[in-house]
Every structure is written in structure tokens, then in C-alpha cells.
Amino acid sequence: WPSPAPAGTADAAKGKGGQRKMRILVVEDHWANRKMLQSMLAQQGHEIDCVENGLEAVNITAHREFDLVLMDCNMPVMDGWQSTEQIRERKALNENTPIIAVTANAMKGDRDKCIAAGMSDYISKPVERKRLFEIIAKWTAGSSGRTAPTPPASASTPAPAAAPPASAPAPAPEQAAP
């Protein structure tokens, strides 16, 4: 599945707050949660589409490209786990788009279930604005279009960081501002 985007490499138009303006799909069956997420994302200048269940998410992602999907897990008709599996298995549009689980289930086993279903990451309800924008930045900072980063060779083993050439000087350590 997609790896987090490298920091500081975005080159697309910026939304409010300095984040790149993105097309984000919100998949949430509860109207109040859907409106809350929609409001937070709109305040940052993102383009938002909302659907109410996993089947609608599978259908819309088949013909519309997204930069990120925020997926509730427990929904009627089709849950978020099943929806994510179908989006990933389709091997087409949005196959590698980051899908972030947004759920009230905050136990470790629930997070593992989300990752096993093909979700990229996890955020607990109630969603905190700061955490939401951190996780969006983590997964989209390097995307310059609607295509998400390429998944690593092995989903269970992260790719090693590239070492600088032997002739390159070591980077200076970063210092925190006073």
C-alpha cells in the first residue's frame, strides 16, 4: 500500500493553511460526523466529496480520482474494511490512494484490522483537527497530482532509506529555533 509521502516535496496549488489543495473523499454514514469532517476540510480549501457507505465509496472511486479517502469502518450496506479491500483489489483508479480509517474503535486490534484490510493509516473519533491535518500531510505531502505514492515492494517491510553518496558531505544537524 502507499507509503507516507516525503515531507516538503509538494508542488501543486496550496489550499488555506499552506497545505496542497486536494480532492478528498469522506465515507461516513453519520450525518454529524460527515458534516464535521467536511467543514474542517473545506476550511483548508480542499475539494470534498461525501458518501454514506462503503458501496457508494467503491462506486465513486471507480470513476473519480482522489488524493485521499477518509473511511469510516462501521457502516450499513458495506463496511469500510470491505470497501477498502474492493478498492485495492480493483487494480485501477484509486488502487494506491491513501485510505485513512476514521473510527470510534480505538483498540490495538482494530488498528491492525484496518491495516490488514489495506487501509493506509488510522485516526480515532472524535477527530481532532490538528491530528487530522497531520495525517493528511503525512500521506499526501509528496503527491503532485491525483496519483498516490507507489506502494513499497513489500507491504510488511518498509523500504530502507537511501544513503547519501560516499563523496557527499554529511548533512548538518537541524537545530530547533529558540
Side-chain angles (χ1 to χ4, degrees):
W1 309 130
S3 299
T9 58
D11 59 1
K14 299 283 184 179
K16 295 177 183 177
Q19 284 191 329
R20 185 173 63 81
K21 181 178 177 182
M22 293 173 286
R23 176 179 279 170
I24 298 175
L25 176 61
V26 174
V27 186
E28 170 63 62
D29 64 316
H30 192 276
W31 68 270
N33 292 336
R34 194 169 51 247
K35 290 296 183 189
M36 184 263 314
L37 287 168
Q38 188 176 18
S39 174
M40 284 194 276
L41 295 167
Q43 288 173 4
Q44 293 294 310
H46 300 303
E47 181 181 336
I48 304 108
D49 287 292
C50 296
V51 296
E52 296 183 18
N53 63 62
L55 182 58
E56 291 176 357
V58 169
N59 292 336
I60 196 170
T61 59
H63 66 271
R64 187 173 299 159
E65 198 166 14
F66 293 95
D67 294 300
L68 185 102
V69 177
L70 296 172
M71 178 82 71
D72 185 20
C73 292
N74 295 305
M75 297 178 288
V77 183
M78 179 185 288
D79 66 39
W81 299 290
Q82 294 169 318
S83 177
T84 299
E85 288 172 350
Q86 287 193 21
I87 292 166
R88 297 293 190 219
E89 289 170 358
R90 188 171 43 222
K91 304 289 184 212
L93 194 62
N94 294 297
E95 170 193 9
N96 293 318
T97 298
I99 300 176
I100 309 303
V102 183
T103 183
N105 298 334
M107 299 175 70
K108 184 184 181 340
D110 295 320
R111 182 184 190 286
D112 294 342
K113 183 177 179 181
C114 292
I115 301 304
M119 294 175 173
S120 308
D121 215 329
Y122 179 94
I123 189 169
S124 299
K125 293 178 188 175
V127 174
E128 296 175 9
R129 180 183 308 269
K130 181 178 184 245
R131 178 71 181 129
L132 175 64
F133 295 131
E134 286 172 353
I135 211 159
I136 289 172
K138 172 182 174 182
W139 287 95
T140 62
S143 305
S144 60
R146 301 253 185 254
T147 304
T150 304
S154 170
S156 61
T157 307
S167 61
E174 293 183 25
Q175 295 181 346

